[in-house]
Amino acid sequence: MPHHVFIVEDHAVMSQILVAYLSNQSDFDICGTASTGEDALTQLPDDADIVLVDLSLPEMSGIDLIREVRTRWPALPCLVCSGHDEALYVGRALAAGARGYVAKGNPAELSEGIRCVLGGDEFLSASLRERVEARNGTVPGKASDSKAAS
């Protein structure tokens, strides 16, 4: 049975790319999309298994959306998929309750990240891991134990 992925992405073309890419994988089913955090909160279906969140959203930021999802649906994991690849953004997203962070532009890491988070682990893209470790000396949470560490 495929996992239900809800996508929050404000750029229409990027949203279409994410939907097309993930829909072509047998273990994912797109259960909805939203272009704002506010829309996501009203449209998020009960059967969602994971929320894929862009950080740069109009009005409500992706960070605020993650906090609100964690408050309303504590068991529903959020995975960030963002073009912001600075350690500061990664730290803020994880502190807000995101279970992982994937840099846009690497489809294999996106799939791996979703599977990892759905499996109960945290995930960081390899390039982001290097930046976070360089800034902090360590990676927050269990992310350093994920498959991406290898």
Side-chain angles (χ1 to χ4, degrees):
M1 177 177 262
H3 296 286
H4 298 112
V5 180
F6 188 84
I7 299 171
V8 187
E9 169 63 57
D10 64 319
H11 291 96
V13 173
M14 179 55 93
S15 182
Q16 292 169 355
I17 290 168
L18 291 169
V19 168
Y21 174 73
L22 295 173
S23 294
N24 282 326
Q25 299 185 47
S26 62
D27 55 338
F28 300 135
D29 178 48
I30 305 305
C31 63
T33 64
S35 60
T36 69
E38 293 85 353
D39 287 346
L41 293 172
T42 61
Q43 298 172 11
L44 193 61
D46 292 336
D47 67 343
D49 295 314
I50 189 168
V51 182
L52 191 60
V53 180
D54 183 20
L55 290 186
S56 295
L57 299 171
E59 300 171 35
M60 174 185 278
S61 73
I63 299 290
D64 290 337
L65 174 60
I66 292 165
R67 283 189 190 110
E68 190 62 29
V69 167
R70 300 294 297 147
T71 298
R72 294 186 191 189
W73 301 279
L76 181 61
C78 294
L79 174 67
V80 172
C81 180
S82 179
H84 294 290
D85 60 357
E86 298 85 14
L88 176 66
Y89 288 102
V90 176
R92 287 180 179 169
L94 295 176
R99 298 284 309 181
Y101 200 114
V102 177
K104 283 183 178 173
N106 191 331
E109 280 193 336
L110 176 60
S111 300
E112 181 182 1
I114 293 171
R115 290 181 186 106
C116 187
V117 168
L118 287 169
D121 293 321
E122 291 184 352
F123 183 88
L124 289 181
S125 292
S127 62
L128 298 173
R129 176 178 311 287
E130 293 169 8
R131 287 187 179 101
V132 171
E133 288 174 343
R135 179 174 182 194
N136 301 335
T138 61
V139 176
K142 297 188 314 188
S144 61
D145 298 331
S146 74
K147 289 189 259 182
S150 56

